[in-house]
Amino acid sequence: KRPYEDGEEPYWIDERTFAACLDLVEAIAVPVGITFDDGNDSDYEIAVPELRRRGLGATIFVLAGKLDQPGYLTSQQVREIDADPAFTIGSHGMDHQPWPTLDEAELLRETAQSQEILSQLCGRRIDAVGLPFGRYDGRVMRRLAEQGYTTVYSSDGSPRLGTGNPLPRLSLRKDTDLASLPARIRASRGIASRIRSELAVRAKTLR
């Protein structure tokens, strides 16, 4: 319903593939958290109903600067989603900027202003954030902590050894081999994979 932004087209999957992914999640005998970025209207029209049919929930990270624009969630849809205990609204910033490249004023707008807008909309403090492009450094992580974000999601893939922020996510693409997905999820929980992820996170947060 809207033009693709630069680089996002590979991350859009059709409804049939999405349903197949959810079927795999149900079949995997390990806990799997589900998240969505950007706050597209398809989250409300397609994803939420499919998840509810399966008794699943998700966290939806919303671009506050895109609210009520064509192709994105409306303010009312955000309120409705957040009112469902199975779902959580989080921030994805204002305009999908790579936060490590921003100056202090721009970073404050992306993190604090988006949090304020969504908190007022949902009637509670928004304390979860999905990092745009999965990108972060030590400065970004410090600012998020100062603003009271308690849960920060990256796109680092494999789980870490530790339990602190950021929490890595595995991104799905239209070229993802669904047949291998369960094995990838299980393999990512192995000790070698966790060590590599932990070292990668530490290297980024030292910057």
Side-chain angles (χ1 to χ4, degrees), residues 150-189:
T150 59
T151 309
V152 181
Y153 289 87
S154 68
S155 299
D156 289 321
S158 174
R160 302 167 54 187
L161 284 175
T163 57
N165 289 319
L167 303 177
R169 296 183 291 173
L170 176 65
S171 299
L172 292 182
R173 298 165 48 103
K174 62 170 49 180
D175 59 358
T176 297
D177 177 11
L178 295 187
S180 68
L181 187 57
R184 287 178 62 190
I185 291 174
R186 294 189 181 96
S188 72
R189 296 165 188 262

Side-chain angles (χ1 to χ4, degrees), residues 99-101 104 107 131 135-146 152 165-166 200-207:
W99 291 352
T101 69
E104 286 296 325
L107 181 58
L131 296 160
R135 294 179 60 183
Y136 60 94
D137 56 16
R139 180 181 66 116
V140 168
M141 296 303 296
R142 289 191 296 273
R143 296 297 174 269
L144 293 174
E146 291 167 0
V152 181
N165 289 319
V201 167
R202 293 189 182 189
K204 292 178 184 178
T205 53
L206 287 174
R207 298 173 191 166

Side-chain angles (χ1 to χ4, degrees), residues 52 77-89 122 124:
R52 282 174 173 158
Q77 288 170 340
V78 169
R79 282 191 289 265
E80 288 182 27
I81 292 170
D82 197 61
D84 186 330
F87 294 87
T88 300
I89 292 295
C122 295
R124 65 174 184 86

Side-chain angles (χ1 to χ4, degrees), residues 2-28:
R2 64 174 178 82
Y4 292 128
E5 294 189 5
D6 288 345
E8 74 169 346
E9 190 270 339
Y11 295 92
W12 281 86
I13 59 177
D14 58 38
E15 293 182 46
R16 184 175 180 179
T17 302
F18 176 64
C21 288
L22 295 185
D23 291 340
L24 286 172
V25 167
E26 287 189 291
I28 295 173

Side-chain angles (χ1 to χ4, degrees), residues 116-131:
E116 180 179 357
I117 290 171
L118 294 171
S119 295
Q120 291 181 355
L121 191 58
C122 295
R124 65 174 184 86
R125 185 171 181 80
I126 296 297
D127 58 10
V129 61
L131 296 160

